[in-house]
Amino acid sequence: MLTLEQLSIGYRSRRDETVLASDISLELSEGELVCLLGPNGAGKSTLMRTVAGMQPPLAGRVLVDGDDIHSMPARDRARRLSVVLTERVHAGLLTAYALVGLGRYPHINWSGRLTDRDHKVIRECLERVGAQDLAHRYVSDLSDGERQRVMMARALAQEPRLMVLDEITAFLDLPRRVDAMRLLRRVVRETSRAVLLSTHDLELALRAADRVWLLPTGGPLATGAPEDLVLSGAFEAAFASEGVDFDRARGEFQVHRHFVGEVELVGDGLARYWTARALEREGVHVWEGDGPAPPILVVVPDGEGGEWIVSGGGAQVRHPCLYDLALELRARFQTVEL
Amino acid sequence: MNQPTEAPAPPGAPGADLRTTLRPVAFLLLVGGVAGVFVLELMIGSVPIPPDQVVRYLVGAQVEEAAWRTILFELRIPRAITALIAGAALGAAGLQLQTLFRNPLAGPWALGLTAGAQLGVAVVVAAGAVVGSELLSRLAFLSEIGIVVGAFIGAGGVMAVIASVARRVSTITLLVLGLMLGFLAQGMVSVVLHFTTETQGRVFASWNDGSFAGVYWDHFPVLLPLVAVGLVGALLIVKPLNALLLGERYAGTLGLSVERARLSALAGAVILAAPVTAYCGPVLFVGMIVPHMARGLLNTSDHRILMPAAMLMGSLLGLSADLVVHLPWERHVLHLNAVNALIGAPVVIGVVLRNRQMRSMAV
């Protein structure tokens, strides 16, 4: 449905040209949710704007159903693709219903009058995003999450083939972000549209996207199922930076910690898992049975309300919480280092 | 234009705002208010005329005293019609500028259009002094056209400057720029007036006070068509204006040709504000506050409802302010713009305080 043909993106000023990525040739099929990922400055937003027809390409073409969106009238383009941007909308005294109604813009006549069919589409779109109860609230009174829902309903009401969503989850907290992704997946499957979503949220993209477009700084753009890109090491390469590693086994970023010491961890279950996480944050390794056992032993509690017991160096200390445990380990390893 | 009473929400939809359902009532009140103040304008003055006689005259029946007929026909009716259309024109111009610049304090006066028109008129008056007033007064109609053209060039010039920088500067910068361009134009007016005769200077000064009283029937053939074009134009761009509520970037993705919409709205504002200024002198505040009063009454930013409401509200404010001016005061001291300032300044203060950030168009 969407085809990028030898696309070069970037900026052209009077004197020179800044190419952010070139020679991008890709397809995006209907019913697909594609996430565009990439480090800051790689040109994600530029690619999004170029695909959305808001910025001309340096070379190549963007085709929707075979027609170049950069050479069609704005109204035709608006019927094929709709856009939601990161920026907050200050729509003043518009109700959510009226805002979604603006999505009908390319379909209605000069007077802006909505027909019965338009009203039907608006109601359906509000329902689809679960915002029917917001219909008569003013947009300025909505929370960020509610507003993004309404903006999505507006993008849907445009009845486009492709929805281009730029960082729309940026303002949302984690549950709201998961929710937005679930919603998008459902919309994509049910309406046989396609969605191109740019995001910073790597983990969520890995879990929700049908396909990932990965744009490293300086290109070239890599594409595939999210897991393909993890396996091939493309993620690691794209996000490689000092102090941060992409952990292929866990599919998440790891912060390099300066190694401060090692302990033996006794116990299991959830308590062990989170204790290990806390130790990792402190730069304390958990002894894995190779080599000599470290002098310090940490016993995790058995059930709720239990205590962490640290022994070693002849002393035994009990801690009611991980925070206290971490404080003590920090102190201990500092003395060792000194 | 479709019926403004067709609210965007489907009738009977759950949770519909009370003010939404009462919108037709609000429109009836506006129309009734305009009609009522119009009649009051005709009744009240140094010679009071009974309401029944005013209505008799308006429906074409015989009135008791011939003098009343003369007063009504020669003085009060032209003045009331002028207040009616000038108010509507400035209200519509203000609304379209506020939406276009996403600036709650935009208006023909705040952005310097009015001052630009003033300068244009001053230049024409001064040119008249240089060319010889005799020539121009013999060609009275031509000099009138000259003044209108001068106002257009002045207002259009300021508008061009404002429009060229509007996208690069903040809301507040734009307002300061508009005000400064206004002062600049007024300073140039003083310079230009040095080249006029004393009589012309006095004529200009009285025009410069702003009044609906100086317009007579023979001015209408120019004034009315221009304002009519502007008002129809304003109604034709309600759909683009609605899209612009989301900002220019979004409006573009909705299929709006942003450049064309900007141009129509800017040209429309000039077509509305320039002739009004040419004939009535600078009228302050109306264009800035009327959109806020209309929004306050109807509780919506939807231009399909707001635009007709702003026109009616503008007429109502124009007529009311003029009514205050020509109440039979002991001493005639109140100017139109003094009344406008008394009504307008508190409204503006309210808008500024409510809209602390001045960044968004929370209107």
Side-chain angles (χ1 to χ4, degrees), chain B residues 189-325:
Chain B
V189 166
S190 309
V191 174
V192 166
L193 286 180
H194 271 292
F195 300 100
T196 60
T197 63
E198 207 188 321
T199 331
Q200 279 170 320
R202 234 177 288 132
V203 170
F204 182 83
S206 84
W207 170 87
N208 205 24
D209 279 337
S211 165
F212 297 134
V215 184
Y216 303 103
W217 288 104
D218 37 348
H219 297 133
F220 284 155
V222 180
L223 178 59
L224 288 185
L226 284 174
V227 172
V229 167
L231 291 179
V232 170
L235 291 174
L236 287 177
I237 59 168
V238 291
K239 189 187 167 199
L241 287 177
N242 274 348
L244 284 172
L245 284 174
L246 296 183
E248 290 190 354
R249 270 150 58 95
Y250 266 121
T253 71
L254 283 172
L256 174 74
S257 160
V258 175
E259 279 311 310
R260 206 163 58 196
R262 280 169 69 86
L263 201 64
S264 332
L266 290 173
V270 173
I271 291 176
L272 287 165
V276 169
T277 308
Y279 284 98
C280 308
V283 178
L284 313 186
F285 281 108
V286 175
M288 187 197 277
I289 64 172
V290 159
H292 292 286
M293 297 165 82
R295 283 187 204 102
L297 181 69
L298 291 155
N299 217 20
T300 183
S301 295
D302 184 351
H303 292 81
R304 291 188 298 138
I305 297 157
L306 210 49
M307 188 57 86
M311 292 175 185
L312 287 170
M313 191 63 95
S315 295
L316 185 60
L317 184 66
L319 284 165
S320 307
D322 193 49
L323 184 67
V324 175
V325 170

Side-chain angles (χ1 to χ4, degrees), chain B residues 3 20 56 63 76 101 135 185 204 211 218 266 305 311:
Chain B
Q3 288 300 303
T20 313
R56 278 180 71 85
V63 292
R76 291 194 190 164
F101 292 120
L135 178 68
F204 182 83
S211 165
D218 37 348
L266 290 173
I305 297 157
M311 292 175 185

Side-chain angles (χ1 to χ4, degrees), chain B residues 6-60:
Chain B
E6 279 181 17
D17 192 273
L18 182 65
R19 275 200 265 187
T20 313
T21 29
L22 289 181
R23 240 169 232 163
V25 180
F27 266 96
L28 278 181
L29 280 177
L30 273 178
V31 173
V34 170
V37 182
F38 190 87
V39 171
L40 279 178
E41 268 263 274
L42 302 186
M43 285 164 50
I44 295 171
S46 46
V47 179
I49 302 175
D52 60 311
Q53 295 299 309
V54 168
V55 174
R56 278 180 71 85
Y57 181 83
L58 286 178
V59 299

Side-chain angles (χ1 to χ4, degrees), chain A residues 85 87 93 105 108 136 138, chain B residues 14 239 249-250 253 299 301:
Chain A
L85 305 165
E87 65 185 63
L93 291 171
Y105 193 93
I108 57 182
H136 294 287
Y138 284 101
Chain B
K239 189 187 167 199
R249 270 150 58 95
Y250 266 121
T253 71
N299 217 20
S301 295

Side-chain angles (χ1 to χ4, degrees), chain A residues 168-186:
Chain A
I168 59 160
T169 56
F171 291 131
L172 309 182
D173 59 25
L174 188 64
R176 232 72 45 191
R177 264 183 299 193
V178 174
D179 218 38
M181 290 301 253
R182 265 217 321 256
L183 179 79
L184 281 176
R185 280 185 74 85
R186 210 176 60 227

Side-chain angles (χ1 to χ4, degrees), chain A residues 195-223:
Chain A
V195 167
L196 176 61
L197 171 83
S198 75
T199 178
H200 272 109
D201 198 333
L202 202 84
E203 286 177 46
L204 206 55
L206 287 180
R207 283 176 210 284
D210 295 313
R211 194 130 81 111
V212 167
W213 292 1
L214 182 67
L215 185 62
T217 312
L221 195 139
T223 178

Side-chain angles (χ1 to χ4, degrees), chain B residues 132-217:
Chain B
S133 55
E134 232 177 290
L135 178 68
L136 277 182
S137 60
R138 237 183 294 152
L139 304 166
F141 183 70
L142 272 187
S143 80
E144 187 192 324
I145 294 288
I147 284 175
V148 174
V149 170
F152 261 99
I153 293 174
V158 171
M159 191 85 274
V161 174
I162 293 282
S164 67
V165 298
R167 264 197 280 192
R168 277 181 280 136
V169 301
S170 76
T171 302
I172 293 165
T173 314
L174 193 72
L175 283 175
V176 174
L177 185 72
L179 285 174
M180 289 306 127
L181 280 177
F183 283 127
L184 192 67
Q186 275 170 345
M188 285 157 78
V189 166
S190 309
V191 174
V192 166
L193 286 180
H194 271 292
F195 300 100
T196 60
T197 63
E198 207 188 321
T199 331
Q200 279 170 320
R202 234 177 288 132
V203 170
F204 182 83
S206 84
W207 170 87
N208 205 24
D209 279 337
S211 165
F212 297 134
V215 184
Y216 303 103
W217 288 104

